[in-house]
């Protein structure tokens, strides 16, 4: 009980420190639900603080968030947890702009400020479409949406039309994580074989009761290990959080096999760069792998992940459906025993995929390598327009 009180007291203390700041010091605020959010903000924050010399606040619900120890003097960081203090922070927020990667604003515990006209900016944490994997109404209460590509603009415009919603500021932004991965990749010497000459296969699926790990995880890993691959399993953060028994079961089954690895630190992308091949289902990491490494993805065609049961009211075909056969190979779960042969035939023909992947990437993602600049400029523009409206 004493520990709980001290943590709660720390969160309250941090909120009080934030609220004591002058409004100019907290005009730009980033909110992070967990430590995985920062990679989606990093390029924007770099431009704002290092290039434009702007002061920002970074409010996080992760007590182990590395940014709490940042040496950047233009970043003021605060920890507010996931409970009542976070709810209070959002309800009473006074800031000009709040940037976040968490959808469903105003739907659950996270509400728009009741005391100040904050401009809310949503930054996508995945390339996937906005009307299938996200719940209905996930973006309705944001002022601006930083769109990854043309598909997001088309989908959100269609959603606004179907439901007669107010028009949002849809920004042709791009994808900060992709830019970060591409920059990092150029600095690395990729090695897709282990020291004992085994090909590295990365299994990185989406999450949910019908997900690949939940339904076929044990069988899939066994087939790959028996085929003499080195297998890294990278669960989705939500699988780690909601289905820890699945993770433990797979770990327990293969813990004595030196060619098996469970990767629960999803803040690192080392395994992505060094994978000979990637196996996924509906996860957005499949597009990240294809677009960064310019290599095809092996998709296990399980049940499509749909969190919006009204998605078919939007006439746009989901990107994750239309893109799969362009950047990879889709196989049935019934074909798992043939997977090693499929892997070899697919990755021996990577030149056939490389040009296609480059072409698809250029059409799918805005501002390749420049998203941070675009995002920072847009935030400064929003601030300027808000200032003019007050005069």
């Amino acid at each position: 009980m004493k520990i709980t009180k001290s943590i709660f007291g720390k969160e309250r203390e941090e909120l009080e420190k934030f609220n004591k700041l002058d409004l100019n010091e907290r005009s730009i605020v980033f909110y992070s639900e967990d430590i995985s959010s920062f990679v989606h903000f990093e390029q924007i924050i770099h431009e704002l603080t290092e290039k434009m010399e702007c002061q920002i606040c970074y409010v996080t619900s992760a007590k182990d968030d590395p940014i709490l120890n940042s040496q950047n003097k233009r970043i003021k960081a605060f920890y507010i947890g996931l409970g009542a203090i976070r709810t209070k922070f959002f309800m009473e927020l006074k800031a000009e702009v709040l940037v976040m990667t968490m959808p469903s604003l105003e739907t659950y515990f996270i509400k728009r400020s009741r005391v100040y006209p904050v401009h809310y900016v949503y930054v996508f944490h995945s390339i996937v479409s906005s009307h299938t994997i996200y719940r209905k109404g996930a973006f309705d209460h944001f002022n601006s949406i930083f769109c990854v590509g043309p598909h997001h603009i088309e989908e959100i415009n269609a959603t606004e039309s179907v439901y007669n919603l107010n028009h949002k500021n849809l920004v042709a932004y791009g994808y900060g994580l992709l830019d970060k991965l591409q920059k990092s990749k150029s600095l690395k010497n990729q090695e897709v074989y282990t020291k004992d000459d085994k090909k590295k296969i990365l299994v990185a699926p989406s999450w949910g009761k019908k997900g690949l790990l939940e339904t076929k995880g044990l069988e899939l890993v066994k087939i790959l290990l028996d085929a003499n691959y080195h297998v890294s399993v990278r669960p989705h953060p939500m699988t780690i959080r909601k289905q820890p028994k699945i993770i433990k079961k797979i770990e327990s089954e293969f813990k004595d096999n030196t060619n098996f690895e469970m990767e629960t630190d999803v803040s690192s992308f080392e395994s992505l760069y060094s994978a000979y091949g990637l196996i996924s289902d509906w996860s957005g990491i499949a597009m990240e792998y294809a677009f960064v490494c310019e290599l095809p993805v092996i998709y296990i065609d399980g049940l499509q992940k749909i969190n919006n049961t009204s998605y078919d009211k939007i006439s746009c075909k989901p990107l994750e459906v239309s893109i799969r056969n362009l950047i990879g190979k889709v196989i049935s779960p019934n074909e798992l025993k043939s997977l090693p042969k499929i892997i070899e035939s697919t990755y021996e023909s990577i030149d056939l995929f490389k040009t296609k992947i480059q072409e698809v990437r250029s059409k799918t993602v805005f501002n390749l390598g420049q998203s941070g600049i675009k995002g920072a400029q847009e935030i400064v523009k929003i601030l300027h327009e808000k200032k003019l409206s007050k005069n």
Side-chain angles (χ1 to χ4, degrees):
M1 180 63 74
K2 288 182 179 179
I3 293 175
T4 303
K5 283 185 177 179
S6 66
I7 293 174
F8 187 78
K10 171 66 173 175
E11 295 164 0
R12 184 182 295 280
E13 182 182 310
E14 291 281 283
L15 179 58
E16 289 174 354
K17 282 167 58 179
F18 173 82
N19 286 333
K20 286 178 181 178
L21 293 175
D22 184 271
L23 189 56
N24 289 329
E25 293 182 282
R26 51 185 163 111
S27 59
I28 304 173
V29 180
F30 287 79
Y31 169 69
S32 173
E33 182 184 10
D34 51 41
I35 60 173
S36 64
S37 298
F38 181 71
V39 294
H40 300 286
F41 297 142
E42 189 172 359
Q43 309 300 309
I44 302 173
I45 289 175
H46 176 76
E47 291 294 327
L48 285 171
T49 62
E50 301 294 334
K51 302 289 184 66
M52 298 181 174
E53 299 184 351
C54 295
Q55 174 72 56
I56 71 158
C57 288
Y58 196 98
V59 179
T60 178
S61 288
K63 60 184 176 182
D64 55 346
D65 200 319
I67 205 162
L68 292 169
N69 299 313
S70 172
Q71 300 302 307
N72 188 332
K73 293 181 180 179
R74 295 193 182 92
I75 299 176
K76 293 184 182 296
F78 305 87
Y79 166 65
I80 60 167
L82 289 165
I85 298 301
R86 179 177 72 163
T87 302
K88 183 178 175 65
F89 163 77
F90 275 92
M91 293 282 283
E92 301 175 358
L93 177 63
K94 289 184 179 179
E96 300 300 341
V97 179
L98 179 67
V99 187
M100 54 198 288
T101 63
M102 184 163 61
S104 299
L105 178 66
E106 198 67 23
T107 304
Y108 300 105
F109 296 107
I110 304 303
K111 307 291 186 182
R112 289 178 63 99
S113 174
R114 299 300 190 251
V115 299
Y116 198 83
V118 180
H119 187 108
Y120 292 83
V121 175
Y122 181 78
V123 175
F124 278 97
H125 59 263
S126 179
I127 302 174
V128 299
S129 281
S130 61
H131 61 305
T132 47
I133 290 177
Y134 297 93
R135 291 183 174 89
K136 181 182 176 183
F139 312 107
D140 292 357
H141 297 281
F142 288 93
N143 301 95
S144 293
I145 309 288
F146 281 15
C147 300
V148 172
H151 59 291
H152 283 156
I153 291 180
E154 182 183 359
E155 293 156 7
I156 295 170
N157 275 330
T159 302
E160 290 173 346
S161 177
V162 167
Y163 295 105
N164 195 28
L165 302 172
N166 291 332
H167 184 63
K168 288 171 280 297
N169 175 35
L170 303 182
V171 181
Y173 164 65
Y175 193 50
L177 176 57
L178 180 60
D179 293 344
K180 174 185 172 63
L181 293 175
Q182 286 189 309
K183 287 177 184 175
S184 299
K185 180 191 171 216
S186 65
L187 302 174
K188 298 181 183 295
N189 181 21
Q190 288 178 280
E191 183 50 73
V192 299
Y193 291 85
T194 61
K195 290 181 180 178
D196 53 352
D197 214 32
K198 288 182 173 58
K199 294 169 182 174
K200 299 176 185 176
I201 299 296
L202 179 63
V203 179
S206 188
W207 66 280
K209 292 181 180 179
K210 302 296 183 181
L212 182 59
L213 277 191
E214 289 80 356
T215 59
K216 297 286 184 179
L218 287 170
E219 181 185 358
L220 172 63
V221 173
K222 186 176 188 310
I223 288 169
L224 292 171
L225 289 173
D226 287 349
N228 213 28
Y229 291 111
H230 179 278
V231 183
S232 293
V233 175
R234 182 186 173 96
H236 190 281
M238 291 300 288
T239 304
I240 297 170
R241 188 185 305 176
K242 291 182 175 290
Q243 300 286 344
K245 290 182 180 179
I246 297 290
I247 307 301
K248 287 181 181 178
K249 189 173 182 180
I250 296 173
E251 273 189 307
S252 177
E253 182 71 22
F254 303 110
K255 64 182 179 181
D256 296 328
N257 193 316
T258 57
N259 290 315
F260 170 77
E261 185 178 353
M262 180 67 74
E263 183 183 340
T264 54
D265 178 11
V266 294
S267 63
S268 170
F269 289 89
E270 292 300 318
S271 60
L272 200 71
Y273 300 125
S274 61
Y276 176 84
L278 178 95
I279 297 172
S280 190
D281 47 7
W282 293 97
S283 176
I285 199 173
M287 294 182 221
E288 292 160 10
Y289 173 78
F291 290 165
V292 171
C293 300
E294 297 180 351
L295 293 171
V297 176
I298 304 293
Y299 287 100
I300 310 298
D301 194 25
L303 191 67
Q304 184 182 353
K305 184 179 175 184
I306 297 173
N307 287 323
N308 177 9
T309 55
S310 302
Y311 83 98
D312 54 355
K313 291 185 178 181
I314 309 305
S315 60
C316 311
K317 188 173 185 179
L319 179 70
E320 56 271 22
V321 174
S322 62
I323 204 172
R324 299 167 102 202
N325 283 305
L326 299 176
I327 65 171
K329 186 174 181 62
V330 183
I331 71 168
S332 165
N334 299 324
E335 295 180 84
L336 285 187
K337 289 183 179 179
S338 301
L339 187 56
K341 290 182 180 179
I342 294 170
I343 289 172
E344 294 309 313
S345 64
T346 301
Y347 288 95
E348 284 173 1
S349 307
I350 57 173
D351 288 342
L352 298 175
F353 281 97
K354 186 170 184 176
T355 302
K356 174 58 71 175
I357 288 171
Q358 291 173 342
E359 179 185 331
V360 172
R361 182 180 62 196
S362 67
K363 293 179 179 178
T364 304
V365 183
F366 292 127
N367 302 308
L368 281 166
Q370 303 292 320
S371 66
I373 297 171
K374 177 64 178 178
Q377 289 174 342
E378 188 65 28
I379 289 171
V380 170
K381 179 184 173 184
I382 292 167
L383 283 176
H384 181 65
E385 289 175 350
K386 286 197 75 178
K387 187 179 293 186
L388 287 177
S389 68
K390 292 177 182 180
N391 295 334

